[in-house]
Amino acid sequence: MVAPGALRVVRCGGSTLCGARAVFSADSKYLLCASGDFVKVYSVNTEETLRLMSGHADLVTGIQLNPHNHMQLYSSSLDGTIKLWDFMDGILIKTFTVGSKLLALYTLATAEDSVFVVIPKKGERDTFQLVSVKLTKGAGQDLESKELSVVLGGVGASMKHIAFGREGAYVVSVKGVNLQVYFFKRKLLNRFSLSTLKTKGGDNRFSCVVCHPTEDCIATGHADGKIRLWRNFHHKKEYTYSTLHWHHDIVMDLAFSMEGTRLLSGGVESVLVQWHNESSCQKDFLPRLGSPIEYISMASDGALCCTLHTDNRITIINSNLRFSRSIQGLIKSRDVKTGLVVDPRTKALVLNGEPGHLQFYSLQSDQQLFSLDIVQRQYIHEAGLKQSDLVKVAFSARGTWLATVEESEEVTDPELQLKLWFYHEEAQSFQLNTRINTPHDNHITDMCFRDMDELGDDSLILVTTGRDCVFKVWVMVEDTDPEAQQSVSWTCDFVGSYHNYQATNCCFSEDGSLLAVSFEETVTVWDSLTWDLKCTFCHPPGNIRKICFGRLTCSKYLIGATDYGFLCCWNLLTCALEWSAHLNIVVLQPDPVSEHIAAVSWLSKESSLFVFKPNEPRPIYIQRNLCKEKILLAAFVPRDEPEMTSSEKYPWLRKSQLFFLTDTQELMTLSTKSLEERLTPSSKQLAVEESLPVTPFSVLLGKHRQQQAQEDTDLGKPVVHNKQEQASPAVKELLHTPAHVLPSASFLCTIFINSLLISKENKSVEEVADEVEMESEKAEDDSDEEDVTAMEQEDTSHMELLGEMTCKLSKSQEKELRKIRKMDYSWISAF
C-alpha cells in the first residue's frame, strides 16, 4: 500500500489500445477497450475518455459485457484476476482470483455464474487450455474462484483463436493448421487439419476464427490472406468449406454482422473488406485506414463497428461502411529520435508519430491532438528501403516557430533538410516558411532556439550542431524576393568550430546571453552577441553526453553529463568545477520554470531518478528502481495552476510535472495522486447533462439569467451566493451516487438539510442584537411594547441591508412571527 501523499509512478498514457477486442455498450453509446492495465470507456459521439477503471496489477487481456446485466463488464488480466465492473459509474463490484495468468476471456448467456478463460497448462511451456471458471458467490468484494474445468486443450493464446457458436452450442479453436470443434451437449470433439505444405505462395496456418450468429457456419482467416467458410462440421469426414480471397497477406481478424449476412475482414493492407452473402463477387471496401487492422468489433444493434489498429488508433465505422469517428492514442514509433518536446502553446507532448509525421499528444485526454506531416512524402512499407525520417524538433519560446530536421537513413552520405515552420493563427496550424537543403555536411546532432522575447526579429536565433565539426547560427532576414509568399526567411549568420572536434550538444542560458556547445570531451561557452569564445570546460575521460544551464537563482551554473559516468557542475563566474558525482546519467532535463533539474541514471538494469539544484550537491529527491523498463526520455510540463498538495513535501513538483518515456514507449509520471484522481471532472463523471443537446430553450434561459444578473448588478442589489452553488460534498454524494448503493433517506436527511443552511461567520451589529433579544425572550416574557421596539429595530436593519422600503407589520402579525421563530423544527431529522 502507498501511504497517503507519497510519490508514486503512475502510467499516464501510451498504453496500447489493441491488447484485446473492444466492446460496445448495449445502447452503442459507449465503447469499452483495454488499455494497458486499465479499462477505458469512450463516448462514441464525442470521442472523449469518460471513464478510466483501474484495479488490475498487470495487462488487461479481455473484456466482455455481463450477458445477464448489460450495465456490467467483466475484465481479465495477466495478474490472475477477473473483475466485475459497473462501467457506467466506474465502480468495482467483485474481484475473482483465479491464480493462473488469464490470456483471454469469453462469456455466454447460457452459462450462468461461469466464464471461460485461456490459461497456461501447468508444467508445459507454450501450451494453453480453455477452462470454465465457476464464479464464487459471496458477500465480500474479493473472492477466490478456484473451481476450474478444462474444456479444450492445445488452444492458441490469442483471443482471436477461439470462438463460440450460435447459442453457445459449441466452441471452436484454431492453432497452426488444426481446427477443433467441441459440442457441449454431445461432449463430442471433432478435429480437422489442413495441409502444411506451402505451394504456390499458399500458407494454410490459421490466424483467426469467428462463428456465424444464427447458422452452423465457421469463418477462419489464414496467413496467406484466404478466408474459409466451414459447414457440416458435425461430421468428421463430410465437412465442406468454401474460400474467399482478397487479402494479399495475413487476415488479422474477422467479424460477422448481427444477422450474419455480412462478414468483415481486415489485415495489414489497412483496408476493411465487407463480404455480402458469403460471396466473393459481392464485396465492399473501406480503404486508407492508416495502419494494419488488429481487431474488429460489432455493436449489438449492428449500427456500428470499430477497428483497432496497430498504431494505437480506434476507428468507428457506420453500418454502410462509412467512416464515423477516430480515437487516436499515442503512436508508438519505431524509434523516438526527436525526444520528448513540449509545445509551449498547447502544453502537448511532441514526438515522432507516423513515419515522417510529428504527433501532438494531449496528456489530459490521452489522445492525439493532431499530426503534422513534416517529410511530405509517401512512406513505402518495404524492408531495407532507405527513406527520410524526422530526427530533430525544437520550438521557440512562445511556440510560434518550429524547427525540424529530416534525414535519410544513409550512414555515409545522408540527405539532410532543415525546415522552419511558422504558426498561422487563422489556419490554426504550422505552415512551412523556409526549407534549407544540406544545412550540415553530416548528421545534425542537436539544435535549440534562443529563449528571448520573440517580438523583436533580431533576438530570435536558431543554433544547430553537426558531426561535420561545426555549429551554425541561423537568423531571420527580410525576404527581398517580390514573388515570395512570406515577408521573412531564415539564413546562416555564423559558423563556429573548436579544434575540428565533432559538435554534439548545444543550449542557451536563461537570458540568452551565452551559448554552450559541447565538442566531444570539451564544453565551450560563447557570447551570443559577438560570438566570441569565453571559456571552456573539460572533465575527462569521456565525451559530453548532455548539457544544460541552471535557471533563476542557479543561472551561474552549467551542468554536464559524460558517457563515462560523471555528472559535473561548473561555475560560470569562477570558471571552475563546483562539484561532480559518479553517475551514469542517460537523461538530463531542467525544469523551465524553476531551479530544479531531473537526472535519470541507468545502472545494473535499474533506472534511478535524482532531482537536484545546481547550487546544492546533495539531491533533494532520490527514487531508486523507478520502473522496470529503461527510461529513454523525459520532459517537464508546466502546470496551468501550481499544485498545492505536494508543494511542501515535493516542492519541485509544484510548478511542473515530470513525464518520462520508457524503452517500451510507456508514458509515465510521478504524482501523489492516482491517474483516476488526476482526471478532469468532465472526463471523470458520466453526467447526464453532458449528453443532452443544446436546445433553443436552454440558450434562451441562459441569456435570461445573464441579463437578470446584469440588471441586479446595475441596480446595486447585493448578489447573494447560495451555498448550493458551491460544490457541497453532501449534495454531490446524493446526486452522483448510484441509487442502489445509497443509504436510507433518514440517514441522508440531516446531512442534506445541514448542507443547505447558510453559515454566517461575520455577524453584523444588528444580528448580534437580534440574538441577544431571542435569548431574553426565552428567559422571560417581555412586554409587547419592548417586543414592538425590538421588531422595529430588526425591520430597520433589514431595510438598511436591502436598500428598499418594506411594509410595517401590525402587532398581531409581529406576535405570530415570534411564535413561528420559537417553534422547534428538529422533527425533520427523523425522516
Side-chain angles (χ1 to χ4, degrees):
M1 295 296 292
V2 180
L7 204 59
R8 53 185 171 181
V9 178
V10 180
R11 183 183 287 107
C12 60
S15 299
T16 177
L17 298 176
C18 54
R21 189 176 281 118
V23 175
F24 283 95
S25 61
D27 55 4
S28 299
K29 290 184 178 180
Y30 308 109
L31 180 67
L32 303 97
C33 71
S35 177
D37 50 4
F38 301 103
V39 178
K40 288 186 176 181
V41 183
Y42 291 102
S43 170
V44 173
N45 293 328
T46 64
E47 308 168 17
E48 183 184 10
T49 306
L50 300 177
R51 183 73 65 191
L52 190 69
M53 297 183 291
S54 60
H56 285 291
D58 210 329
L59 295 178
V60 177
T61 56
I63 55 174
Q64 296 287 344
L65 290 179
N66 185 354
H68 307 291
N69 187 342
H70 293 303
M71 308 297 286
Q72 296 177 354
L73 178 82
Y74 285 109
S75 64
S76 64
S77 170
L78 293 179
D79 62 5
T81 62
I82 299 173
K83 294 184 182 293
L84 179 63
W85 308 84
D86 181 345
F87 66 86
M88 291 297 295
D89 299 307
I91 298 174
L92 177 61
I93 302 173
K94 296 283 185 182
T95 298
F96 304 95
T97 302
V98 180
S100 301
K101 288 186 176 181
L102 309 180
L103 305 175
L105 174 69
Y106 310 90
T107 57
L108 286 179
T110 56
E112 296 184 1
D113 302 327
S114 295
V115 296
F116 297 87
V117 296
V118 176
I119 63 173
K121 189 175 182 180
K122 293 183 179 180
E124 297 185 22
R125 189 177 180 181
D126 297 332
T127 304
F128 308 96
Q129 54 189 2
L130 176 69
V131 300
S132 173
V133 181
K134 182 74 172 179
L135 299 180
T136 308
K137 292 184 178 180
Q141 189 180 45
D142 297 328
L143 303 172
E144 289 193 358
S145 298
K146 303 295 185 179
E147 186 177 343
L148 309 179
S149 58
V150 179
V151 179
L152 275 178
V155 301
S158 173
M159 68 178 307
K160 295 187 286 188
H161 294 165
I162 295 176
F164 287 83
R166 60 180 182 89
E167 300 177 357
Y170 54 89
V171 59
V172 185
S173 169
V174 296
K175 185 179 182 181
V177 292
N178 301 314
L179 182 144
Q180 302 181 83
V181 183
Y182 178 76
F183 300 90
F184 289 100
K185 290 185 178 180
R186 298 164 55 190
K187 296 184 178 179
L188 175 66
L189 178 63
N190 289 343
R191 290 188 175 94
F192 308 95
S193 298
L194 296 175
S195 174
T196 58
L197 297 177
K198 299 180 180 180
T199 58
K200 297 181 180 180
D203 191 347
N204 292 329
R205 288 176 302 161
F206 291 96
S207 59
C208 55
V209 62
V210 67
C211 294
H212 198 285
T214 59
E215 300 177 5
D216 289 334
C217 175
I218 301 172
T220 58
H222 297 265
D224 58 0
K226 292 180 182 178
I227 301 172
R228 287 182 171 89
L229 300 173
W230 301 71
R231 293 185 181 275
N232 202 23
F233 45 81
H234 298 81
H235 307 280
K236 290 186 177 181
K237 296 183 179 180
E238 298 176 1
Y239 69 93
T240 61
Y241 64 77
S242 57
T243 303
L244 306 175
H245 196 187
W246 179 86
H247 300 277
H248 81 277
D249 209 329
I250 182 172
V251 179
M252 301 292 287
D253 201 12
L254 297 168
F256 274 107
S257 61
M258 292 300 104
E259 66 280 1
T261 58
R262 296 176 292 122
L263 175 65
L264 299 176
S265 65
V268 298
E269 304 88 358
S270 307
V271 177
L272 183 64
V273 185
Q274 181 174 258
W275 309 83
H276 295 274
N277 301 320
E278 305 173 9
S279 172
S280 60
C281 299
Q282 302 179 18
K283 54 182 177 290
D284 298 320
F285 304 94
L286 180 60
R288 294 185 292 276
L289 291 179
S291 63
I293 297 172
E294 187 72 29
Y295 288 101
I296 304 173
S297 301
M298 291 291 300
S300 57
D301 57 3
L304 296 172
C305 74
C306 77
T307 55
L308 275 64
H309 300 262
T310 55
D311 67 345
N312 233 20
R313 180 191 295 123
I314 302 175
T315 304
I316 302 175
I317 302 165
N318 294 326
S319 58
N320 57 358
L321 220 63
R322 295 296 183 96
F323 174 85
S324 176
R325 296 282 192 275
S326 179
I327 301 171
Q328 177 67 69
L330 181 66
I331 297 177
K332 296 191 175 183
S333 178
R334 295 176 301 172
D335 187 13
V336 185
K337 301 176 183 178
T338 60
L340 282 185
V341 185
V342 180
D343 180 12
R345 295 179 48 263
T346 61
K347 304 293 179 64
L349 283 184
V350 182
L351 65 160
N352 291 98
E354 299 177 17
H357 288 68
L358 201 60
Q359 62 172 324
F360 289 71
Y361 172 76
S362 172
L363 295 164
Q364 287 73 26
S365 62
D366 189 20
Q367 293 185 28
Q368 185 186 103
L369 294 180
F370 63 94
S371 178
L372 183 62
D373 188 1
I374 301 296
V375 177
Q376 298 179 345
R377 296 180 186 176
Q378 181 66 35
Y379 186 82
I380 302 173
H381 294 270
E382 183 177 340
L385 185 63
K386 304 297 183 181
Q387 302 181 75
S388 296
D389 199 5
L390 185 62
V391 294
K392 298 294 177 185
V393 169
F395 283 93
S396 60
R398 296 187 181 180
T400 54
W401 285 95
L402 167 66
T404 61
V405 175
E406 59 190 69
E407 63 181 34
S408 63
E409 298 176 354
E410 297 289 343
V411 179
T412 56
D413 189 17
E415 179 184 350
L416 299 175
Q417 276 195 350
L418 172 64
K419 294 181 179 179
L420 280 302
W421 308 73
F422 180 74
Y423 186 80
H424 199 275
E425 292 290 344
E426 296 181 359
Q428 291 290 299
S429 180
F430 285 96
Q431 296 182 355
L432 183 61
N433 176 270
T434 304
R435 179 190 288 109
I436 302 171
N437 294 319
T438 317
H440 286 261
D441 295 333
N442 207 331
H443 293 275
I444 293 178
T445 56
D446 200 6
M447 67 176 177
C448 63
F449 278 97
R450 183 167 68 176
D451 293 336
M452 293 181 65
D453 186 13
E454 298 177 15
L455 298 179
D457 293 343
D458 296 337
S459 65
L460 193 57
I461 293 175
L462 175 68
V463 174
T464 59
T465 60
R467 293 182 185 174
D468 55 355
C469 304
V470 299
F471 72 91
K472 294 186 177 182
V473 180
W474 308 86
V475 297
M476 281 193 298
V477 295
E478 293 185 2
D479 200 331
T480 57
D481 187 359
E483 298 181 359
Q485 297 180 357
Q486 61 270 354
S487 59
V488 295
S489 60
W490 290 76
T491 186
C492 183
D493 183 63
F494 177 78
V495 178
S497 63
Y498 183 78
H499 292 294
N500 205 30
Y501 293 151
Q502 286 188 358
T504 53
N505 298 277
C506 63
C507 66
F508 277 99
S509 60
E510 185 180 13
D511 60 358
S513 61
L514 297 176
L515 170 68
V517 181
S518 62
F519 291 89
E520 297 183 6
E521 296 184 354
T522 307
V523 180
T524 60
V525 180
W526 306 73
D527 188 335
S528 64
L529 295 178
T530 61
W531 301 116
D532 293 334
L533 180 62
K534 292 297 184 181
C535 61
T536 60
F537 301 105
C538 186
H539 194 281
N543 295 333
I544 301 297
R545 181 182 288 170
K546 304 285 183 182
I547 57 172
C548 69
F549 279 97
R551 303 183 69 87
L552 301 178
T553 59
C554 301
S555 58
K556 64 179 181 179
Y557 298 102
L558 177 64
I559 311 297
T562 69
D563 55 9
Y564 264 66
F566 284 97
L567 179 65
C568 309
C569 177
W570 293 284
N571 192 319
L572 296 173
L573 299 181
T574 61
C575 296
L577 180 67
E578 191 79 8
W579 55 264
S580 66
H582 190 55
L583 292 171
N584 183 30
I585 301 298
V586 294
V587 176
L588 187 66
Q589 186 63 42
D591 185 2
V593 293
S594 72
E595 303 95 340
H596 302 102
I597 297 176
V600 179
S601 68
W602 175 253
L603 184 64
S604 301
K605 297 182 179 181
E606 180 181 297
S607 292
S608 300
L609 173 66
F610 301 88
V611 181
F612 63 93
K613 290 184 178 181
N615 58 353
E616 300 176 4
R618 185 180 298 273
I620 63 175
Y621 179 80
I622 300 177
Q623 177 67 52
R624 302 284 184 181
N625 195 13
L626 196 60
C627 62
K628 299 177 182 179
E629 301 85 6
K630 182 180 181 180
I631 296 175
L632 300 180
L633 303 166
F636 274 103
V637 179
R639 300 181 188 271
D640 294 331
E641 295 181 0
E643 183 77 18
M644 303 305 297
T645 57
S646 61
S647 59
E648 296 180 0
K649 196 172 183 181
Y650 309 105
W652 57 280
L653 286 176
R654 184 174 183 268
K655 296 181 179 180
S656 300
Q657 189 169 1
L658 179 64
F659 294 88
F660 48 90
L661 193 71
T662 64
D663 54 357
T664 58
Q665 297 198 13
E666 297 288 339
L667 189 63
M668 299 184 178
T669 186
L670 289 168
S671 176
T672 57
K673 301 178 181 178
S674 64
L675 180 56
E676 194 171 30
E677 293 171 337
R678 295 190 297 107
L679 289 175
T680 56
S682 61
S683 302
K684 193 174 180 182
Q685 299 172 354
L686 297 180
V688 177
E689 56 268 16
E690 291 180 358
S691 60
L692 294 177
V694 179
T695 61
F697 179 74
S698 64
V699 176
L700 181 62
L701 183 60
K703 292 181 178 180
H704 173 72
R705 288 175 177 172
Q706 293 177 0
Q707 292 176 358
Q708 186 68 32
Q710 186 65 32
E711 291 176 1
D712 293 344
T713 305
D714 296 340
L715 292 175
K717 296 182 180 181
V719 181
V720 180
H721 295 279
N722 194 349
K723 192 174 180 178
Q724 286 177 291
E725 296 179 1
Q726 303 175 3
S728 170
V731 177
K732 276 187 174 181
E733 193 72 20
L734 184 63
L735 295 179
H736 294 289
T737 304
H740 62 278
V741 296
L742 274 176
S744 61
S746 60
F747 177 79
L748 292 174
C749 182
T750 305
I751 303 175
F752 180 67
I753 293 298
N754 290 333
S755 69
L756 300 179
L757 298 177
I758 302 175
S759 61
K760 296 183 178 180
E761 299 178 358
N762 300 323
K763 299 177 181 179
S764 61
V765 178
E766 292 82 4
E767 290 172 342
V768 174
D770 198 16
E771 289 184 4
V772 173
E773 176 197 354
M774 291 297 295
E775 292 177 0
S776 63
E777 287 179 356
K778 291 180 181 179
E780 59 182 359
D781 293 328
D782 296 336
S783 61
D784 292 343
E785 294 179 358
E786 292 175 348
D787 291 338
V788 171
T789 305
M791 289 299 298
E792 289 177 356
Q793 292 176 356
E794 186 179 358
D795 292 339
T796 304
S797 65
H798 283 296
M799 286 190 293
E800 291 175 357
L801 176 65
L802 299 175
E804 297 179 354
M805 294 299 294
T806 58
C807 298
K808 188 176 181 180
L809 300 176
S810 63
K811 291 184 178 181
S812 59
Q813 291 174 335
E814 292 170 357
K815 290 180 179 180
E816 187 68 18
L817 181 61
R818 286 198 301 274
K819 291 180 181 180
I820 295 175
R821 292 170 62 184
K822 296 177 183 178
M823 191 173 296
D824 185 15
Y825 291 94
S826 61
W827 57 273
I828 299 178
S829 62
F831 291 89

